[in-house]
């Protein structure tokens, strides 16, 4: 099982904001879309950062009310880590665990093709485990 299979189920929709948008506007996007992170893309479409709800909480804790009017650029992580559609579920799970983040944009030959969250990865892993258990039950029942 790999990242391409996750994207096949969940689709390739990518929610992004401009780095110049306010944190308050980006937080509204997170809320409206029911997601935990957005990519920041410049007008050419290049990914220049990622902002997750954790960044919003940190900036609010550090800056108070002022945070809401600050820009996404002031709060996002600039050094974005990507995965590939060919990466295995195990590989992306260990990337997320080792680096302590829950989102991975997916890049294929330099092109952004989707984004996965830890929720998508866990869901895929549970489905895999259920299929294996089902196959074992069948094997035992039929000999
Ligand atoms: P998360 O666990 O995804 O909410 O993010 C925790 C922290 O890691 C936040 O500061 C995010 O900006 C950052 N982060 C999340 N995903 C990535 C990623 N793929 N590459 C780099 N930083 C990330």
């Amino acid at each position: 099982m790999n990242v391409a299979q996750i994207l096949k189920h969940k689709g390739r929709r990518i929610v992004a904001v401009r780095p110049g948008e306010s944190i308050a506007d980006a937080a509204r996007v997170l809320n409206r879309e029911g997601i935990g992170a957005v990519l920041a893309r410049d007008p050419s479409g290049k990914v220049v950062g990622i902002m997750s709800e954790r960044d919003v909480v940190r900036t609010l804790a550090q800056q108070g009310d002022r945070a809401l009017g600050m820009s996404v650029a002031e709060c996002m992580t600039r050094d974005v880590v990507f995965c590939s559609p060919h990466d295995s579920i195990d590989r992306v799970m260990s990337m997320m665990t080792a680096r302590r983040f829950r989102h991975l944009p997916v890049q294929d030959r330099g092109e952004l093709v989707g984004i996965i969250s830890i929720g998508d990865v866990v869901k895929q892993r549970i489905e895999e485990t259920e299929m294996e258990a089902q196959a074992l039950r069948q094997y035992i029942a039929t000999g």
Side-chain angles (χ1 to χ4, degrees):
M1 289 276 181
N2 61 16
V3 170
Q5 278 157 306
I6 297 182
L7 291 182
K8 216 158 103 189
H9 286 130
K10 77 165 285 196
R12 294 177 158 220
R13 185 153 183 267
I14 296 155
V15 180
V17 296
R18 293 269 184 259
E21 265 183 53
S22 70
I23 294 176
D25 283 343
R28 276 184 211 108
V29 173
L30 292 178
N31 181 52
R32 187 185 67 222
E33 301 286 340
I35 55 177
V38 276
L39 292 175
R41 301 179 87 173
D42 71 12
S44 74
K46 183 172 178 269
V47 175
V48 292
I50 183 164
M51 189 197 82
S52 87
E53 51 204 3
R54 184 147 313 168
D55 299 312
V56 177
V57 170
R58 186 194 63 245
T59 312
L60 269 171
Q62 290 171 348
Q63 308 291 334
D65 292 351
R66 196 176 96 74
L68 295 173
M70 287 168 60
S71 67
V72 167
E74 292 176 273
C75 146
M76 68 192 189
T77 302
R78 287 168 193 274
D79 191 10
V80 180
V81 178
F82 295 86
C83 67
S84 139
H86 311 292
D87 282 332
S88 67
I89 303 298
D90 282 348
R91 178 163 160 76
V92 292
M93 274 182 118
S94 50
M95 279 167 87
M96 287 177 171
T97 307
R99 294 173 182 258
R100 294 174 183 277
F101 52 56
R102 295 164 291 180
H103 299 89
L104 272 172
V106 189
Q107 216 171 24
D108 192 13
R109 281 161 282 178
E111 193 201 336
L112 188 64
V113 294
I115 182 163
I116 58 168
S117 74
I118 197 152
D120 302 320
V121 177
V122 169
K123 183 167 174 274
Q124 184 75 25
R125 171 45 55 89
I126 290 171
E127 280 171 16
E128 241 176 70
T129 309
E130 277 170 0
M131 273 163 54
E132 277 167 21
Q134 173 70 20
L136 277 173
R137 275 196 295 270
Q138 210 156 357
Y139 174 75
I140 292 163
T142 57

